[in-house]
Amino acid sequence: EAQVTQNPRYLITVTGKKLTVTCSQNMNHEYMSWYRQDPGLGLRQIYYSMNVEVTDKGDVPEGYKVSRKEKRNFPLILESPSPNQTSLYFCASSLGQVVANEQFFGPGTRLTVL
Amino acid sequence: AQSVTQLGSHVSVSEGALVLLRCNYSSSVPPYLFWYVQYPNQGLQLLLKYTSAATLVKGINGFEAEFKKSETSFHLTKPSAHMSDAAEYFCAVTQGYGGATNKLIFGTGTLLAVQP
């Protein structure tokens, strides 16, 4: 089954404790992206990657890192999480760089930083 | 910069009634427009998309949307609401044009409630 998976689905952590949220897709998509969803703000892009070893900042990159060493994986790293990073996070992928291509979303990771 | 405005953060309809969710966009170039649906505790699922072909776009689950350039709108409609349509709906526009980043600019979402 074609899908985007994220782990963990739920995470409660404390300020400053490094964490990684994994994202994997099995559709051989070049483009991958991370969004955060906050009430009243919709979804905002954090980082994106057009292909292996090619990443760039989105609209809200502060406090986050990403890497793209393999085509299927795009982990999101919070080196020193803070309470304002409490949010619902979504990973997405799409085929190529054509803007009309559908983006497939993972199920989301709900992060709480205390 | 492109943007999307969704009027009405909460919409409530009766089962069987017309569903109308409003979306207006701002874009200096021809846009690509999308409607996504998010069911509780799930990721986003594409309902339909406009990619400069037909202005009336039909999607899944009986939804459709009409691109109106003169009104810069892309409202989502469904003739008869079903209880299973209760969800949050997001309108989105792509940023850039030709070789762009695939970044979706989302509206703030509309939560649809369907009353029995």
Side-chain angles (χ1 to χ4, degrees):
Chain A
E1 178 189 357
Q3 60 183 348
V4 179
T5 57
Q6 295 179 227
N7 283 291
R9 293 289 312 279
Y10 301 91
L11 179 60
I12 300 174
T13 189
V14 296
T15 298
K17 185 176 181 181
K18 181 180 178 179
L19 65 93
T20 299
V21 182
T22 65
C23 172
S24 183
Q25 50 90 8
N26 62 1
M27 296 169 279
N28 202 35
H29 285 170
E30 289 87 0
Y31 182 86
M32 297 185 74
S33 180
W34 277 101
Y35 295 86
R36 61 178 287 173
Q37 182 181 12
D38 301 291
L41 297 177
L43 284 82
R44 295 174 292 168
Q45 191 185 56
I46 304 170
Y47 268 94
Y48 65 92
S49 169
M50 291 197 182
N51 215 323
V52 175
E53 301 292 1
V54 181
T55 64
D56 206 347
K57 297 176 180 179
D59 293 323
V60 289
E62 294 76 21
Y64 304 95
K65 286 176 57 178
V66 293
S67 68
R68 187 90 181 273
K69 293 184 171 56
E70 306 167 280
K71 197 172 187 179
R72 63 184 295 126
N73 296 322
F74 191 45
L76 179 69
I77 303 157
L78 285 71
E79 294 270 2
S80 183
S82 62
N84 64 11
Q85 294 177 297
T86 293
S87 187
L88 180 58
Y89 292 86
F90 288 101
C91 181
S93 73
S94 65
L95 183 64
Q97 299 171 29
V98 177
V99 294
N101 284 349
E102 176 182 356
Q103 290 198 35
F104 293 84
F105 284 79
T109 295
R110 186 168 293 280
L111 172 66
T112 301
V113 183
L114 303 175
Chain B
Q2 292 167 306
S3 65
V4 168
T5 302
Q6 290 184 242
L7 293 175
S9 58
H10 292 79
V11 171
S12 182
V13 299
S14 298
E15 192 173 18
L18 171 71
V19 175
L20 171 61
L21 304 182
R22 299 179 186 275
C23 173
N24 288 89
Y25 69 91
S26 171
S27 175
S28 58
V29 297
Y32 290 144
L33 293 156
F34 304 79
W35 274 101
Y36 281 85
V37 60
Q38 184 180 27
Y39 297 105
N41 298 315
Q42 294 187 26
L44 280 73
Q45 179 183 3
L46 182 68
L47 272 178
L48 50 81
K49 64 181 179 182
Y50 167 75
T51 58
S52 75
T55 56
L56 182 63
V57 181
K58 295 188 183 299
I60 61 172
N61 301 337
F63 284 94
E64 63 181 35
E66 186 172 9
F67 174 72
K68 292 187 177 180
K69 184 178 179 180
S70 61
E71 299 177 8
T72 61
S73 68
F74 191 57
H75 302 331
L76 182 71
T77 60
K78 181 174 180 178
S80 177
H82 192 272
M83 297 296 289
S84 61
D85 295 327
E88 190 159 22
Y89 293 80
F90 292 93
C91 183
V93 64
T94 53
Q95 181 188 55
Y97 186 74
T101 67
N102 288 27
K103 181 172 78 172
L104 289 167
I105 308 296
F106 284 91
T108 52
T110 298
L111 189 61
L112 176 66
V114 181
Q115 308 298 329

